[in-house]
Amino acid sequence: MTAQQNILVLNLGSSSLKFAVIQPQSGHVALSGLAERLGNDARFEYKFDDQKHDIELANGAVHKDAISTLISTLEQNNLLTTLAGVGHRVVHGGETFSESMLITQENIEKLDQLNHLAPLHNPVNMEGIHSISELLPQIHQVAVFDTAFHQTMEDKAYLYALPYELYEQHAIRRYGFHGTSYRYVSQKAAQQLGISQSDSQFLIAHLGNGCSACAVKNGESVDTSMGLTPLEGLPMGTRSGDLDPGLSEYLNQQLDMTQDDIMTLYNKQSGLLGVSGISNDMRTIQQHAEKGDRRANLAIELFAYKIARYLGALATNLERIDALVFTGGIGENDALTRSLILEQMTIFGFKLDGERNQQNGDESGRITSDDSTLAMVVATNEEMMIAQDTQSIIAQLQDEGA
Ligand code: ADP
């Protein structure tokens, strides 16, 4: 093993920076952490050697300040010299990027042209790339896209039934997200079942704060629930998922809501939070449901029902279901939601094994009985996938002698 064995994985949100130093083969995390509330009352915390540390950031510190603090932290903990490269999670790769790519000047220019597709996300991701270029000019950087895995969808799946010119002239189509998670989980599920990925058919439900579902056939995404933006599809923590497009006009005309009000309603005030009126967090909602709160119960039931309905639709892309795979914070940990979804899908032959489900899966992840269509839990690991892509792109570069 060379000295440079680790990859720094960066995930920038609108006011946050998540980071991890990962050994790509083993998945070992040497250091990880989070800077939050950037631009405001920022805080920076990290874990190293099983110890948690807090660092004070100057008032108003922004992403670049947090990255600079991160680099000093890596230096102090003797990790900076172990880095082989930096992998960035980039939300939108449009139709330009169907796989992870090395950051070069030419690719940066192509990426800049995609900002209009994800104006809240991509420019922030670019800030991360530019900050690293300035602070660590020698290091190789790789971008890993949330959308890339879904570029295998056929046009009948990715097009909206809108005038075709909107696609041709403005790139308006469905892209899908959570692709890095689906790629990891579909590989891992095939491994755990001892089947070949090139002959596998999975339905995958990624249920976290953001939720989506995907049909993955022979290792490729055939269709997914998110669209041009992550708002389409399943209900989520605070997002509504699918709605009648006529609702926006109704809210505007009848309730006098502006475009901004309506988008805030759909993105920030709906989903589990909107229906329960309590929280966007499934654990909190379940605590209230157990005490008999009607809307908390309704939020859980509606969430499971609509997910089952979508999974049923996605199943029409498959010839068989090798497994329905649950992942994400809710998918991996919440026995109740999984059981409600499977009860709604008995037509597909699912029979829950209560004990396996309570344990979040047996040793191979199964939560169903032996005579059932298989459903299982697989823990996602997007950071590891980003680290592996980064490492393999850098290795290729070194092979080419660049
Ligand atoms: P993100 O999409 O932000 O990465 P996560 O994948 O961490 O989010 O998922 C967060 C969701 O997972 C929250 O709704 C949280 O309540 C839920 N969750 C985490 N652990 C459990 C648990 N043990 N039981 C039920 N829900 C859980």
Side-chain angles (χ1 to χ4, degrees):
M1 226 182 268
T2 65
Q4 291 172 337
Q5 57 188 331
N6 285 321
I7 301 293
L8 171 62
V9 175
L10 295 184
N11 180 357
L12 284 81
S14 55
S15 62
S16 68
L17 164 72
K18 284 190 199 148
F19 50 86
V21 175
I22 300 183
Q23 211 290 326
Q25 276 82 35
S26 64
H28 174 73
V29 178
L31 181 146
S32 65
L34 170 72
E36 284 180 298
R37 298 200 294 264
L38 295 169
N40 219 315
D41 181 17
R43 54 193 287 267
F44 183 106
E45 59 178 42
Y46 71 95
K47 205 166 119 188
F48 178 64
D49 261 355
D50 271 340
Q51 299 241 354
K52 281 196 173 168
H53 305 261
D54 277 296
I55 296 182
E56 228 166 273
L57 292 181
N59 214 357
V62 293
H63 288 95
K64 190 173 171 195
D65 304 312
I67 291 177
S68 170
T69 302
L70 170 61
I71 289 171
S72 313
T73 305
L74 297 180
E75 205 162 14
Q76 280 155 24
N77 292 299
N78 298 322
L79 285 171
L80 196 58
T81 50
T82 73
L83 294 185
V86 180
H88 295 265
R89 173 195 177 215
V90 177
V91 170
H92 221 304
E95 289 188 328
T96 316
F97 298 109
S98 56
E99 52 190 31
S100 304
M101 59 96 181
L102 185 74
I103 306 274
T104 59
Q105 192 48 40
E106 190 189 344
N107 281 334
I108 286 182
E109 281 160 25
K110 285 186 192 161
L111 263 172
D112 280 339
Q113 285 166 20
L114 298 174
N115 282 345
H116 66 103
L117 288 171
L120 297 179
H121 295 106
N122 271 34
V124 180
N125 302 150
M126 294 308 293
E127 262 182 67
I129 292 170
H130 290 305
S131 299
I132 293 289
S133 303
E134 262 178 57
L135 297 165
L136 300 174
Q138 302 304 327
I139 207 152
H140 291 306
Q141 302 189 67
V142 167
V144 179
F145 301 96
D146 270 24
T147 50
F149 184 64
H150 302 298
Q151 282 297 302
T152 45
M153 288 195 289
E154 283 184 40
D155 48 7
K156 66 182 178 194
Y158 70 66
L159 284 174
Y160 292 111
L162 289 168
Y164 193 75
E165 294 71 28
L166 286 175
Y167 166 61
E168 285 183 311
Q169 292 163 20
H170 301 284
I172 294 175
R173 51 159 281 182
R174 308 179 62 248
Y175 290 93
F177 298 86
H178 287 143
T180 310
S181 175
Y182 290 123
R183 191 151 56 93
Y184 177 83
V185 168
S186 54
Q187 282 174 15
K188 190 89 184 167
Q191 252 172 36
Q192 279 178 217
L193 297 177
I195 61 177
S196 152
Q197 210 196 354
S198 59
D199 183 20
S200 64
Q201 307 212 17
F202 296 121
L203 283 177
I204 308 180
H206 178 115
L207 310 177
N209 271 316
C211 299
S212 72
C214 186
V216 183
K217 191 169 168 182
N218 304 333
E220 293 187 344
S221 170
V222 197
D223 201 355
T224 189
S225 59
M226 283 178 169
L228 174 72
T229 76
L231 185 57
E232 189 178 335
L234 313 181
M236 316 185 198
T238 62
R239 293 191 193 118
S240 61
D242 282 354
L243 293 166
D244 178 348
L247 179 60
S248 302
E249 186 194 33
Y250 188 91
L251 291 170
N252 172 252
Q253 294 195 345
Q254 303 296 320
L255 278 74
D256 230 4
M257 290 177 74
T258 65
Q259 181 71 24
D260 275 359
D261 295 339
I262 294 170
M263 291 321 288
T264 304
L265 180 84
Y266 293 168
N267 278 302
K268 304 248 161 82
Q269 300 165 344
S270 297
L272 288 171
L273 172 65
V275 180
S276 71
I278 296 167
S279 171
N280 64 323
D281 192 291
M282 185 54 106
R283 280 165 296 194
T284 312
I285 295 172
Q286 288 190 359
Q287 283 158 12
H288 284 76
E290 279 159 23
K291 290 186 205 136
D293 187 290
R294 190 184 72 81
R295 277 178 54 188
N297 272 301
L298 177 62
I300 297 167
E301 282 172 12
L302 175 151
F303 182 73
Y305 172 78
K306 293 199 188 289
I307 292 167
R309 193 165 165 247
Y310 226 113
L311 287 167
L314 286 170
T316 60
N317 287 295
L318 305 179
E319 288 131 9
R320 57 173 203 273
I321 300 173
D322 288 333
L324 162 55
V325 190
F326 290 99
T327 194
I330 297 174
E332 291 165 31
N333 299 298
D334 184 10
L336 175 64
T337 298
R338 289 192 304 255
S339 73
L340 291 172
I341 292 172
L342 291 189
E343 273 168 29
Q344 186 70 37
M345 297 179 75
T346 47
I347 190 158
F348 294 97
F350 290 111
K351 291 182 212 159
L352 198 74
D353 180 308
E355 205 179 310
R356 287 177 180 168
N357 188 39
Q358 280 306 323
Q359 291 165 356
N360 298 323
D362 66 7
E363 61 288 343
S364 61
R366 287 161 208 258
I367 58 169
T368 40
S369 60
D370 293 342
D371 61 342
S372 163
T373 306
L374 185 65
M376 65 193 290
V377 171
V378 173
T380 192
N381 193 341
E382 289 158 281
E383 289 81 11
M384 182 158 160
M385 198 86 261
I386 294 174
Q388 287 180 351
D389 281 9
T390 305
Q391 192 219 24
S392 72
I393 288 177
I394 292 171
Q396 259 173 41
L397 203 65
Q398 283 159 352
D399 286 349
E400 288 159 13

